[in-house]
Amino acid sequence: ETGVTQTPRHLVMGMTNKKSLKCEQHLGHNAMYWYKQSAKKPLELMFVYNFKEQTENNSVPSRFSPECPNSSHLFLHLHTLQPEDSALYLCASSPFYTGGAYEQYFGPGTRLTVT
Amino acid sequence: KQEVTQIPAALSVPEGENLVLNCSFTDSAIYNLQWFRQDPGKGLTSLLLIQSSQREQTSGRLNASLDKSSGRSTLYIAASQPGDSATYLCAVRLMNSGGYQKVTFGIGTKLQVIP
């Protein structure tokens, strides 16, 4: 257990559905991250939140909408996804984002399949 | 743009063998380099973090080295065990002028240790 939990662990959704992924960290960290891991590709950083403020959005399509209500919780709202969005979505947290390179702790991921 | 390459993509060895995994990166001005382990369908577990000023780090049967000038890192696993079977990811961290981290991951090396 890394102290970062993600729900659901598996999700199958149609292209017209709306769903949300949830991430919660119990480490007292202030930075949280969403990553996408597709088969045979490196992890891609999607979003970074530092003290609840979005500091990074790496050209992610608007059909992915992040939300960070507090430093412990991070959501990824999904709507009108495409089959190529099927991937493992990983959440991570670290003590801070700026001012130093802090080790990230990863959750187990949500395996998303878009049909 | 930083690129991280891991060779080989897959490796199968008999139990007890010592092995080396390789990671190369194109931009040598890194802040640090981190090795992760990922079990199938799971998140990432940090193994070793090497700061740019360090040459190596050790943890149990694992030893990671860093040669910034040549843009290379190796992960040495001694006396391999079936439980070491997993995908090993290398992540390189740069720091931009604004103090923000930029992490680039390799695709990973999938290791199978045969009993």
Side-chain angles (χ1 to χ4, degrees):
Chain A
E1 288 298 324
T2 62
V4 181
T5 59
Q6 290 186 243
T7 55
R9 295 293 310 277
H10 300 273
L11 178 62
V12 178
M13 59 186 289
M15 289 190 284
T16 58
N17 291 157
K18 289 185 180 181
K19 297 287 185 182
S20 295
L21 309 185
K22 179 182 176 182
C23 175
E24 183 174 0
Q25 56 95 0
H26 309 275
L27 302 169
H29 291 168
N30 296 292
M32 296 187 77
Y33 310 75
W34 278 118
Y35 285 90
K36 176 183 179 182
Q37 187 176 33
S38 304
K40 302 190 187 305
K41 288 186 177 181
L43 260 74
E44 301 170 59
L45 179 64
M46 300 174 71
F47 302 103
V48 181
Y49 277 81
N50 195 41
F51 290 94
K52 303 188 298 179
E53 298 296 321
Q54 187 180 127
T55 54
E56 290 272 343
N57 177 342
N58 285 318
S59 304
V60 180
S62 60
R63 58 186 183 270
F64 295 92
S65 175
E67 179 189 2
C68 188
N70 54 62
S71 292
S72 298
H73 293 84
L74 185 65
F75 295 89
L76 188 62
H77 303 299
L78 316 170
H79 63 98
T80 59
L81 294 191
Q82 304 298 312
E84 59 264 29
D85 297 322
S86 298
L88 182 68
Y89 288 84
L90 293 165
C91 173
S93 72
S94 66
F96 302 98
Y97 182 54
T98 59
Y102 296 96
E103 185 173 342
Q104 294 179 15
Y105 294 78
F106 283 80
T110 295
R111 172 67 64 184
L112 173 67
T113 303
V114 180
T115 61
Chain B
K1 179 187 173 186
Q2 177 74 280
E3 293 183 6
V4 178
T5 304
Q6 291 188 246
I7 295 174
L11 182 63
S12 183
V13 301
E15 181 177 3
E17 193 165 295
N18 302 326
L19 59 101
V20 175
L21 307 181
N22 297 290
C23 172
S24 61
F25 45 93
T26 53
D27 186 341
S28 61
I30 67 171
Y31 194 87
N32 60 34
L33 183 146
Q34 194 166 1
W35 283 93
F36 291 89
R37 169 189 172 133
Q38 185 175 29
D39 293 284
K42 302 283 183 65
L44 277 63
T45 301
S46 178
L47 297 173
L48 290 165
L49 174 68
I50 311 178
Q51 302 295 346
S52 62
S53 58
Q54 298 174 319
R55 296 301 299 265
E56 65 178 331
Q57 281 285 334
T58 298
S59 175
R61 294 183 293 109
L62 306 179
N63 176 277
S65 68
L66 175 63
D67 184 343
K68 275 201 325 177
S69 60
S70 65
R72 293 170 61 179
S73 175
T74 61
L75 179 66
Y76 175 83
I77 302 178
S80 59
Q81 302 171 358
D84 295 330
S85 298
T87 296
Y88 291 81
L89 297 166
C90 165
V92 175
R93 186 175 278 109
L94 297 173
M95 197 74 75
N96 65 22
S97 57
Y100 294 101
Q101 304 175 43
K102 170 68 176 176
V103 181
T104 305
F105 284 82
I107 294 178
T109 294
K110 186 174 182 179
L111 172 66
Q112 181 182 25
V113 180
I114 303 168

